[in-house]
Structure formats: C-alpha cells, structure tokens
Amino acid sequence: MMMKLPVIGMIGLGAMGRPIALRLQAAGYPLTLYARRAEAFEEELKPLVEAGAKIAATPAEMAAEADIILLNVMAGDDVRSVMTGGVHSVLAGAQPGLIITDHSTIDPVTAREVSAAATATGAHYIDAPVSGGAIGAEAGTLVTMMGGDRGAVDRLIPVLENYTSRQLHLGESGQGSIAKLCNQIAQVITIQGVAEAMAFARSMGGDADAVRDVMLSGFASSRMLELQGPRMTASNYEPGMETRLLEKDSRIALTAALAEGLDLPALELTHDRLVTACGNGWDKKDVAILYELMTRKK
C-alpha cells in the first residue's frame, strides 16, 4: 500500500515559492496555498489551482489542515506577522506536530523567538533558508541549511529532496539563519570584487572576458565570477538575483553584527553600493548591476 503523502501548506509564492510549489505538485503532494493577493490565484498561481491545489483564506486555516508548512517571505517582520500576528496567524491554527519550514532569510534572534512560540503550541519551527535563487528553485538544486529539532528535520527530508540537492542540519534553532547570512556576506562581497576586476580590466584596455577566463583557472575563481562576470561584460541585468534582495540580506547581517559589536567593513561598503543601486531604480535588476556603478563616469 502506498504511503499517504503529507499535506503541504505554502505561504509566499513568488520567484522562489512558486517553482517549489510546482515541483511538489508534480511529485504528487497535496497543496494548500495562501497569498495576501487573492487575485494571484486568477493570475500566476492559476495553474496550481487548476491542477488541484486548495486555497486557504488565512494562514490559521492552512495550519489547521497542513502537516508541513513552507514559508517563503521577505524578512523577519514578515515571518513574525505570518507566524504570530493574531487570530489569523499560523500558530493560531497550528495543530501539535505541525512542521513549519521557514525558507526566508532572517536574523537568528527572530528565528529563535518564533521557534519558541511554535514549541509552546506543540508545533516545530525549522529555520531553513536556501541558497541557489530562483534558478535553483526551478531546477530543484537549492541547498538548504537548517536549525531546529532533528526529528522534525528527518521528517522534512523527503519533501525537501524534491527541490533541493543538499539538506544540511546545523543544530538548534537559529543555526540555519546564521549559515545563510554567512553565505550572503561572502557572496555579495565577492560580487563586488568581480565588478571591480571586470571594470579594471576594461578600463585598462584589457579583454574583460578573456581576463575572466584566466581568473577562473586561478585562485580568484569563484561561483560568482563564473555566473556574474559574463552578465557584467554583456550588460545583462535581467533578474536572477535581484539587487533589492541582496541589499535586504546584507542589511540583516549588518544589523545582527552591530548588535554583537562586530565590525564588517567589507560588507558595509558593499551594502552601501547595493543601496545606491536600489536608489538608482535598479532594485529589481540582477545584482550584476554593481558593475554599472564601477563603469559610470564620476
């Protein structure tokens, strides 16, 4: 006899959540969806509904019938609102044993506080941010880093395997969020470094594409050089990693570092560049747009 698949509730069905939902639906998981914009179910989410996904009127209604909830929202305040924000929140309707899997990028303090609130209801909250962007969500190659109860994580793995290539449990609540912010710190600083290298090559009369290829064979090689270098030299800023999201993530990391008295000078400088890019109206452009700040005449 075939094992009954758990009901998956999903909140946050944008660039990351929607492809995840499509992959889970294709794998046969019953889905219940919640979106703040009701019209989304007549627009970009219509294929999911037509294929059998149910619509929940509130997060609490979803929590009452879901076995697992996947959360993909912008920041800590959004997580708090959805999870603990009154009679319509997830925890207002949560049943004992519910697993809430938060793929949002948030600070570890918020993750720990929300986890404690979930535990008080008998539910499990796993901070499980992902790396790989919308491209990884569509390809099913995301990497997730998790903090929280080991038993709940073990129950999650079969679901996660439908859209992630690695599932790493790092320890107690907050550990997943710490790992994701470390990833974002190194990532955005590296992207700025790639922008500076490509701008230097072009300014000095070099062939930036040839320089990039040489760098990929040496110690300067990185995933960001491989992905963002060609975008920069081709002025291709169609969004893969939106500038506004990396500005948000670096701001979260800087705020958390400040609270601990930790100085992150390279991240602070790079964050200032991201803020400038967003102020130029490039917030929804790919973060490779940092190259434009290097090449525009002062």
Side-chain angles (χ1 to χ4, degrees):
M1 185 175 69
M2 291 184 63
M3 183 182 300
K4 182 180 178 182
L5 293 174
V7 175
I8 309 294
M10 297 199 64
I11 301 173
L13 292 151
M16 295 290 289
R18 183 173 177 275
I20 290 172
L22 288 168
R23 293 187 69 85
L24 289 172
Q25 191 172 64
Y29 285 89
L31 300 182
T32 299
L33 313 177
Y34 170 77
R36 285 179 291 185
R37 291 191 311 109
E39 60 270 24
F41 294 113
E42 295 297 326
E43 297 169 0
E44 66 268 26
L45 303 180
K46 188 174 182 179
L48 287 163
V49 177
E50 290 178 339
K54 295 176 62 177
I55 300 172
T58 66
E61 179 182 300
M62 170 186 290
E65 62 180 59
D67 300 302
I68 295 169
I69 289 178
L70 305 180
L71 188 60
N72 283 278
V73 295
M74 278 288 288
D77 287 345
D78 301 298
V79 172
R80 290 179 188 274
S81 176
V82 168
M83 290 292 298
T84 62
V87 296
H88 297 305
S89 67
V90 167
L91 294 185
Q95 303 299 306
L98 172 67
I99 300 175
I100 302 110
T101 311
D102 188 2
H103 291 321
S104 315
T105 299
I106 64 173
D107 64 278
V109 171
T110 295
R112 291 172 185 138
E113 290 177 357
V114 173
S115 177
T119 298
T121 71
H124 301 284
Y125 171 86
I126 307 297
D127 54 300
V130 293
S131 179
I135 295 171
E138 292 171 2
T141 57
L142 295 170
V143 172
T144 184
M145 47 216 87
M146 294 175 280
D149 179 75
R150 176 77 248 188
V153 168
D154 288 342
R155 287 169 56 197
L156 273 176
I157 297 296
V159 176
L160 296 174
E161 286 176 338
N162 289 279
Y163 57 93
T164 65
S165 58
R166 294 192 72 190
Q167 311 86 30
L168 306 172
H169 180 237
L170 300 172
E172 62 185 12
S173 295
Q175 293 299 317
S177 296
I178 292 169
K180 176 61 184 290
L181 291 175
C182 289
N183 183 83
Q184 301 307 82
I185 291 167
Q187 178 173 289
V188 297
I189 293 171
T190 302
I191 293 168
Q192 176 62 23
V194 171
E196 293 184 20
M198 294 299 95
F200 185 85
R202 183 159 286 177
S203 179
M204 294 293 149
D207 181 334
D209 291 317
V211 168
R212 184 193 71 248
D213 288 345
V214 170
M215 291 171 65
L216 286 170
S217 300
F219 285 158
S221 180
S222 71
R223 185 68 170 148
M224 290 300 100
L225 176 62
E226 178 185 351
L227 291 176
Q228 301 291 17
R231 282 179 169 271
M232 292 173 182
T233 56
S235 298
N236 172 16
Y237 306 124
E238 288 300 310
M241 293 186 288
E242 290 186 6
T243 299
R244 66 189 180 106
L245 299 181
L246 290 180
E247 185 279 324
K248 180 264 298 183
D249 291 353
S250 59
R251 177 166 25 90
I252 292 171
L254 283 170
T255 301
L258 180 63
E260 293 297 320
L262 177 64
D263 185 27
L264 300 178
L267 181 63
E268 186 172 350
L269 289 168
T270 303
H271 179 254
D272 286 345
R273 308 290 286 187
L274 292 165
V275 169
T276 299
C278 290
N280 287 351
W282 299 338
D283 52 311
K284 294 186 179 180
K285 298 289 188 182
D286 190 88
V287 70
I289 200 77
L290 288 176
Y291 177 70
E292 288 294 314
L293 295 179
M294 301 301 307
T295 57
R296 293 196 168 195
K297 290 184 179 179
K298 296 190 170 32

